Amino acid sequence: AHQTLGMALGQKRMFEESVAEFREAVELSGGSPVSIAGLANAYASAGRPDEANNAIATSPATPIDRK
């Protein structure tokens, strides 16, 4: 639910609110890569590129990343 709300808020250009929803989604999902990607996108949209990069850096590696 938080991820969907985060996406909707981003589409409405309510970027700080979107960040808050994606942060909750990341916490509740135990660090889901999909939620982390959404959070990174929300940070970038909010003009917070350093935080976007940090969010991506915390994302667990996927099997394709380990080749």
Side-chain angles (χ1 to χ4, degrees), residues 3-67:
Q3 188 168 315
T4 302
L5 183 53
M7 288 188 291
L9 290 166
Q11 289 176 347
K12 293 182 66 106
R13 306 185 65 78
M14 299 173 70
F15 301 124
E16 293 302 326
E17 294 87 346
S18 178
V19 165
E21 291 300 326
F22 275 110
R23 288 183 66 165
E24 189 70 15
V26 169
E27 184 176 327
L28 292 174
S29 71
S32 159
V34 172
S35 295
I36 292 171
L39 175 60
N41 184 61
Y43 277 137
S45 296
R48 297 162 65 179
D50 292 339
E51 288 165 284
N53 289 332
N54 288 340
I56 292 297
T58 66
S59 182
T62 60
I64 198 165
D65 294 332
R66 295 186 198 136
K67 284 186 176 178

